[in-house]
């Protein structure tokens, strides 16, 4: 199962087989527990053209969730994201549904002390620090 972490930056990726240039509008709808938690509009969706192993085209639609947005979800519950598109013909394409688990980050339970001057393995301390 896919996971998003509360209070962290998360990226959700949908696969599109139809050319998004043929879509007049789109939105990503995020739901949890029967309620709509977040809606991201077309201008917040990043499209990347790709080809599969058979050289057939597809597009990745990436949606970035900020720490504030991911914090709106309840921890330890299932969430659903759906990319809904409106075609130029006026027909709505319900799109793929992305199911994910929501987890808390550990940052609130781990004491970070910048004054301790710790460095990562292989990192050199700054001169004069």
């Amino acid at each position: 199962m896919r996971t998003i972490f509360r209070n962290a930056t998360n990226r959700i990726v949908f696969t599109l087989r139809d050319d998004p240039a043929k879509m007049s509008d789109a939105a990503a709808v995020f739901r949890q527990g029967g309620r709509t938690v977040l809606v991201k509009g077309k201008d917040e969706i990043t499209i990347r053209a790709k080809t599969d192993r058979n050289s057939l085209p597809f597009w990745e639609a990436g949606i970035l969730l900020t720490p504030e947005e991911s914090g709106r979800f309840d921890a330890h519950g299932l969430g659903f994201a759906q990319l809904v598109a409106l075609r130029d013909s006026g027909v709505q394409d319900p799109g793929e549904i992305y199911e994910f688990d929501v987890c808390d980050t550990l940052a609130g339970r781990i004491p970070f002390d910048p004054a301790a001057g710790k460095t990562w393995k292989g990192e050199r301390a700054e001169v004069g620090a």
Side-chain angles (χ1 to χ4, degrees):
M1 169 160 308
R2 295 173 257 195
T3 303
I4 69 166
F5 294 91
R6 293 182 75 239
N7 303 314
T9 301
N10 293 272
R11 185 168 183 262
I12 308 294
V13 178
F14 291 95
T15 301
L16 306 173
R17 287 291 173 185
D18 292 330
D19 187 349
K22 297 178 183 177
M23 299 175 188
S24 60
D25 205 359
V29 181
F30 292 82
R31 298 181 54 82
Q32 185 183 39
R35 65 185 171 93
T36 300
V37 176
L38 179 65
V39 177
K40 300 278 259 183
K42 182 179 181 179
D43 58 330
E44 299 175 280
I45 301 171
T46 304
I47 303 292
R48 291 186 185 146
K50 296 197 166 200
T51 55
D52 64 15
R53 63 177 169 223
N54 297 319
S55 298
L56 296 173
F58 73 97
W59 293 263
E60 281 186 353
I63 296 105
L64 197 64
L65 297 180
T66 65
E68 186 275 326
E69 291 167 337
S70 64
R72 297 180 192 177
F73 292 94
D74 296 327
H76 310 296
L78 289 178
F80 301 92
Q82 184 174 15
L83 187 63
V84 181
L86 185 63
R87 297 178 186 270
D88 284 336
S89 62
V91 174
Q92 179 180 316
D93 183 358
E96 172 186 3
I97 296 175
Y98 183 104
E99 181 179 350
F100 55 88
D101 191 25
V102 182
C103 291
D104 268 328
T105 60
L106 296 175
R109 291 183 254 156
I110 299 173
F112 289 104
D113 183 7
K118 304 222 178 213
T119 58
W120 294 98
K121 183 177 181 183
E123 180 183 30
R124 293 174 19 185
E126 290 183 29
V127 176

